[in-house]
Amino acid sequence: MDFTLQVWRQDSPDKEGRFEVYRATNISSDMSFIEMLDSLNIELEQKGDTPVSYECDCLEGICGTCSLMINGRAHGPGACTTTCQLHMRSFQDGETIVIEPFRAKSFPVIKDLIVNRSAFDRIIQAGGFVTVRTGSAPDGNAIPISKIDADLAMDAAQCIGCGACVASCKNSSAMLFTAAKVSHLSYIPQGQPERMERAKKMIEQMDEEGFGACTNQAECEAVCPKGISIKFIARMNRDFIRSSF
Amino acid sequence: MILLQQMLINNPIIKFYNSSIGKKIVMAVTGLMLIGFVVVHLLGNFQIFLGAEKFNAYAAFLKSIPGPLWAARIILLTAFILHFTTAFILSLNNKAARGGSYKNMATVQADFASRYMLESGVVIFIFIIIHLLHFTLGAIQPEFHDLDDGFMRDDVYRNVILGFSNGPYAYIYIVAMLFVGLHLKHAFWSMFQTIGVYSPALTPLLKKLSVFTAVAVAAGYISIPLSVIFGILK
Ligand code: SF4
Ligand code: FES
């Protein structure tokens, strides 16, 4: 397969960026999007050009490192997939593909397609943990948790912190991410003592980072590679109300 | 000064409003109040179909209880101002949060109404001003205002019929009500989501109810100028 790529190139955070057009030729339909970019970079290097910078790590959809806006959609077409799980057969032969970094004021571009998502780390640091006494491991079955709660906690805990929710939100809101991180601990007994404090602090940090506010359009849910539901945003809002008064 | 600043920063209400979710909740609660008004106002207006006698009596009744009337007006005005200013603050923040723009941005599932809430809101705002100047204050078409119905009452019925049969006001009204419907389609279920009401069973129902409310309110209001245009009300 052959593609025309329009790729965002930006040398450093404070330099102006621009789109460059490249041809990707002889691409196998079984290649992942990342492999396609790798093959482009090999060609660029052979020609003595600077390869395109992008991020990836696990290549199996669990780390959340890969992050590309592909044809206007975070992680490209298809539901519940990360960029690294996206196959080139999802595109038409000869198609023009626009590749941009995730854009948000709170996700400044580092280089080309790589953005700094440390804002997410700071939201987690603000309260996305449980305080436990260290020492010998507690007995695995000492704290009973219902299957329903365990499942819901796991649904929220699926979030891999990729930032696609922010990237695709018309308001650049980080509420899906924050809600997932607030909620997964709020379903389990271990998360109860700090529950209200946690919601409050994480939301404060989210605002401080300069993310937008949700308008319930659910674009985030549509592109989230882990299918995190906006029901967790409702749950976070509930915790917020309770923590405020 | 610093003490005052500290007091303001630590005031739970100010803290609440400063938070993005706090502002969203203000939008939801004031929105609920405004929807309540829109529905009650519609039910009141429907009495026009019962004839001039009933409708003018209803208007006279409202005027005879200035206390509750003004209380309701002040509460509504407060809700309205809060709803409107908060919408602008949120929108500006949201615009600023992008920082740069996409060459391409797809819309996967956000519906039309949800994407143009600010725009439909602004249209409704402008309409409310026209509407108040027209029927409440009589600054527009003053010749139809303060007519006497022969029983020493305001002939509000005539006011509506004449107001809608002269000039563009019936059409402005109809178009504005379509925007109200558009606004409500997203607003109604969205309110519940924002204040934290979500369940896999309830939310789809609320979304259906949202469409129903939007259509019912828009159609209900539009039925009045339409009836005047087609001579059903005269
Ligand atoms: S909620 Fe979904 S889209 Fe957002 S960071 Fe987590 S996994 Fe990514
Ligand atoms: S590289 Fe880990 S999720 Fe894509």
Side-chain angles (χ1 to χ4, degrees), chain A residues 22 42 45 98 127 134 144 146 167 178 206 211 213 221 224 229 232 244:
Chain A
Y22 300 106
I42 292 170
E45 268 183 50
V98 180
T134 52
S146 80
T178 310
M206 172 185 84
F211 290 107
E221 184 185 82
C224 172
S229 157
F232 296 118
S244 298

Side-chain angles (χ1 to χ4, degrees), chain A residues 56-59 61-66 82 84:
Chain A
C56 62
D57 186 14
C58 71
L59 297 179
I62 54 167
C63 74
T65 312
C66 56
T82 53
C84 61

Side-chain angles (χ1 to χ4, degrees), chain B residues 4-75:
Chain B
L4 186 74
Q5 223 172 4
Q6 276 303 317
M7 264 168 65
L8 286 180
I9 289 173
N10 289 326
N11 181 310
I13 294 176
I14 292 182
K15 253 193 161 155
F16 184 81
Y17 192 77
N18 272 337
S19 155
S20 57
I21 299 182
K23 281 196 267 299
K24 274 167 55 69
I25 290 164
V26 168
M27 289 302 288
V29 173
T30 53
L32 182 66
M33 292 161 75
L34 294 172
I35 291 182
F37 166 71
V38 161
V39 171
V40 172
H41 188 28
L42 177 62
L43 294 179
N45 286 2
F46 269 153
Q47 300 186 51
I48 199 168
F49 290 108
L50 302 177
E53 169 52 30
K54 283 264 162 55
F55 195 59
N56 288 344
Y58 166 66
F61 163 71
L62 287 184
K63 279 212 167 153
S64 71
I65 46 163
L69 183 69
W70 275 101
R73 281 178 171 171
I74 288 166
I75 292 173

Side-chain angles (χ1 to χ4, degrees), chain A residues 120 158-165 176-177 180 220 223-226 228:
Chain A
F120 271 11
Q158 294 247 352
C159 168
I160 53 176
C162 63
C165 42
L176 192 65
F177 165 79
C220 52
V223 300
C224 172
K226 298 296 144 187
I228 307 280

Side-chain angles (χ1 to χ4, degrees), chain B residues 91-110:
Chain B
S91 300
L92 288 175
N93 287 349
N94 290 350
K95 277 248 146 50
R98 175 100 297 147
S101 61
Y102 285 115
K103 182 187 181 89
N104 240 354
M105 193 180 198
T107 296
V108 189
Q109 65 176 13

